[in-house]
Amino acid sequence: INYREAYGIFACNGILFNHESPRRGNSFVSKKIAETVAKISKNKNIVLKLGNLKAHRDWGKAAEYVEAMWKMLQLKKPYDLVISTGETHSGRDFVNLAFKKIGRQIIWKGEGLEEKGFCAKSNSLLVKIDPYYFRPTEVDLLRGDSSLAKEIIKWEPKVTFSALVDLMMDYEISKL
């Protein structure tokens, strides 16, 4: 803010929480889940390996966040705004919805590093916890408060978490 005021420049900061789309890179858990579950839907003998399924994230659709940034740039006065859905969902929620999209229900067994996800119909192993994917500085809960963005730029997310997972799954399935 001091730099912006000192030099009289128009600069906005959009503090974006997890903004997802099918264009996400493979290092992002949302992309990894959607891509792997899509492959499993085509009878690939793959096990989805993940880290902390309990971590909750504020996941929204990237295109909507771009719209929010554009709205910020249309203002007469620059603001720094949080762009988020205000809702959180766990990695487990994402996995469950992704498998639901391909007609499979996951039954979770075990705890911690021994937790595994099995197909409810076939009892085949579909999800496994792998310590490699745990982050040393993991944050259990990330939720944004975009109330100021709602007030100033009249922005609100429209795509639900479930619809976002469907969108990502549809894309990954169409690639196969």
Side-chain angles (χ1 to χ4, degrees):
I1 295 174
N2 290 342
Y3 190 86
R4 176 170 59 203
E5 291 169 353
Y7 292 95
I9 61 173
F10 185 94
C12 299
N13 288 303
I15 301 142
L16 312 180
F17 278 69
N18 290 51
H19 44 292
E20 308 297 330
S21 90
R23 294 182 179 185
R24 269 294 204 194
N26 291 336
S27 62
F28 291 90
V29 72
S30 56
K31 175 74 167 188
K32 179 182 179 176
I33 294 168
E35 186 176 58
T36 304
V37 173
K39 288 177 182 175
I40 290 170
S41 77
K42 300 299 181 189
N43 296 318
K44 305 277 186 200
N45 190 15
I46 303 169
V47 174
L48 173 60
K49 295 178 183 178
L50 296 169
N52 184 4
L53 290 175
K54 295 177 184 176
H56 280 71
R57 297 292 179 259
D58 188 328
W59 275 310
K61 184 179 177 189
E64 291 185 333
Y65 288 38
V66 171
E67 175 193 8
M69 290 185 287
W70 180 84
K71 286 184 167 202
M72 290 171 68
L73 294 173
Q74 307 314 303
L75 296 170
K76 298 237 185 282
K77 177 184 171 194
Y79 282 91
D80 300 333
L81 301 173
V82 172
I83 307 301
S84 66
T85 68
E87 296 179 8
T88 63
H89 299 275
S90 68
R92 182 189 330 281
D93 295 338
F94 202 112
V95 169
N96 286 335
L97 285 173
F99 275 104
K100 182 179 178 183
K101 179 73 176 173
I102 65 165
R104 297 200 191 179
Q105 180 185 356
I106 299 294
I107 302 296
W108 297 98
K109 298 178 183 176
E111 291 184 29
L113 294 175
E114 299 305 314
E115 186 172 18
K116 293 180 173 85
F118 296 89
C119 178
K121 289 181 185 174
S122 69
N123 201 37
S124 59
L125 177 65
L126 297 175
V127 185
K128 178 181 176 179
I129 303 305
D130 185 335
Y132 175 81
Y133 296 107
F134 277 81
R135 294 176 177 175
T137 58
E138 181 74 77
V139 177
D140 287 335
L141 175 67
L142 288 175
R143 177 186 358 228
D145 177 1
S146 59
S147 57
L148 194 57
K150 290 175 185 175
E151 177 186 328
I152 292 174
I153 60 173
K154 310 297 184 230
W155 178 86
E156 288 193 56
K158 297 170 193 76
V159 175
T160 65
F161 175 69
S162 178
L164 177 64
V165 174
D166 280 350
L167 172 83
M168 293 185 73
M169 286 300 300
D170 287 342
Y171 175 78
E172 293 301 330
I173 291 168
S174 75
K175 286 188 351 184
L176 301 174

